[in-house]
Amino acid sequence: TLNLNGKSVPIETDMFVARLAANKMMVTTDEMIMLSMQAAGIDAGISKLMELAKLPSIARASPVTLRFVFTK
């Protein structure tokens, strides 16, 4: 679950795990996750940006990747 802007968005993705050192591991997404702006609770901000910038449209999804490094 990704918590962003007070919203919880369930995410399911494949992860890649690599040992960086004897005491360090990295976990990252295998591919980009397409995050819905509506699910993240920032859809109104996208609409306001379109209005202010006088844009006919803006994508309502954004690619997201996750990367964690754990040190023992």
Side-chain angles (χ1 to χ4, degrees):
T1 302
L2 173 66
N3 293 308
L4 178 69
N5 201 32
K7 296 281 187 169
S8 294
V9 182
I11 294 175
E12 187 172 319
T13 186
D14 290 331
M15 303 293 282
F16 175 79
V17 180
R19 182 183 300 262
L20 302 177
N23 67 337
K24 194 177 283 192
M25 302 285 288
M26 178 182 68
V27 180
T28 185
T29 50
D30 261 352
E31 298 178 353
M32 285 188 271
I33 301 163
M34 295 307 289
L35 179 63
S36 160
M37 297 298 101
Q38 183 177 14
I42 56 177
D43 200 46
I46 300 295
S47 297
K48 187 64 175 178
L49 177 61
M50 286 175 51
E51 175 190 328
L52 293 173
K54 297 181 171 83
L55 296 171
S57 66
I58 294 179
R60 300 285 175 150
S62 180
V64 176
T65 59
L66 305 171
R67 181 167 294 139
F68 305 99
V69 177
F70 299 96
T71 304
K72 185 176 179 181

